[in-house]
Amino acid sequence: NSGNWDMITANETGPSAGRYLFMPFETGAGGVMRVDLWDTNYNTRSVSIVNPGTNGFVAGDASRWTPWGSYLTGEESWGTGSTKGRLFEVTNAVSATAGTGTLIERNVLPRVSHEGLAFDSQKAMYFIDELNGGSVYKYVSANANATTGDQYFDKGQTFVLKVGAGGQFEGNNGPAITGAATWVAITSATGTANAATFSAM
């Protein structure tokens, strides 16, 4: 238990839906903790299923259960010269014992300073970048009805939300962002690995 986390989610589907809470460590060596809400023993109900620093994971923030029944988290760490800003999937989040969570990098997405993740009814995935005032992105898998992360993240296209004229920052950095919104493609329709980042539009 790092004592330092932000986003928390539950296992929303499956035979034990709602039993577990998952939270990443928002620390210099990130990990993932699972809390068993059915276990009344506070000495045993929490376990670190991904040890801090696994795969170089840092600053875990985003936290979301997937439509196919696994757990996603991302690094809230990106900037000039950074090698972070990655999305990760824990494929055995419910069954993992201490330190045995399988943490897989899903590099079909551009790297960003991850904050939030969400899926819509068509199983497109939305993610937020907090870098430089923030941006909102959408990933559309070539296999929206995938039953595994390997299938879902194999190929897909990423879009950024452009509001009004685009390119401006809200608040202290410029005027409020208003106007019509459109999704602008920033990768090809059959994009695979992409370690780039993009400026807000």
Side-chain angles (χ1 to χ4, degrees), residues 72 86-89 91 104-109 148-151 153:
L72 293 178
R86 301 168 293 172
L87 181 77
F88 288 93
E89 179 181 11
T91 57
I104 299 175
E105 181 182 345
R106 297 304 186 188
N107 61 2
V108 69
L109 299 182
T148 68
D150 285 346
Q151 296 169 354
F153 293 111

Side-chain angles (χ1 to χ4, degrees), residues 4-198:
N4 191 4
W5 54 80
D6 191 343
M7 302 267 177
I8 300 172
T9 195
N11 59 317
E12 299 170 353
T13 57
S16 301
R19 175 175 178 174
Y20 301 105
L21 296 179
F22 299 91
M23 59 210 71
F25 300 163
E26 195 170 355
T27 52
V32 177
M33 186 170 75
R34 182 186 66 213
V35 178
D36 185 349
L37 298 177
W38 294 2
D39 185 350
T40 59
N41 184 339
Y42 281 86
N43 294 315
T44 59
R45 69 187 311 190
S46 300
V47 60
S48 292
I49 59 173
V50 175
N51 288 330
T54 300
N55 293 349
F57 181 48
V58 302
D61 195 301
S63 189
R64 180 63 61 178
W65 193 250
T66 70
W68 56 91
S70 68
Y71 172 73
L72 293 178
T73 186
E75 296 171 312
E76 189 182 1
S77 179
W78 178 256
T80 303
S82 176
T83 60
K84 305 302 181 181
R86 301 168 293 172
L87 181 77
F88 288 93
E89 179 181 11
V90 181
T91 57
N92 60 341
V94 168
S95 61
T97 55
T100 67
T102 303
L103 187 70
I104 299 175
E105 181 182 345
R106 297 304 186 188
N107 61 2
V108 69
L109 299 182
R111 295 188 186 196
V112 300
S113 184
H114 281 284
E115 179 66 20
L117 294 168
F119 290 89
D120 66 17
S121 59
Q122 285 76 47
K123 300 177 184 172
M125 188 186 80
Y126 299 81
F127 57 107
I128 297 170
D129 181 9
E130 284 200 324
L131 182 67
N132 293 333
S135 301
V136 179
Y137 297 86
K138 175 172 67 172
Y139 169 75
V140 179
S141 175
N143 185 357
N145 294 315
T147 57
T148 68
D150 285 346
Q151 296 169 354
Y152 185 82
F153 293 111
D154 180 51
K155 291 185 185 70
Q157 188 168 26
T158 300
F159 301 81
V160 64
L161 185 65
K162 179 179 180 180
V163 180
Q168 73 270 39
F169 298 135
E170 189 171 348
N172 294 334
N173 298 317
I177 301 170
T178 61
T182 56
W183 289 104
V184 179
I186 57 174
T187 66
S188 69
T190 56
T192 53
N194 191 329
T197 189
F198 299 88

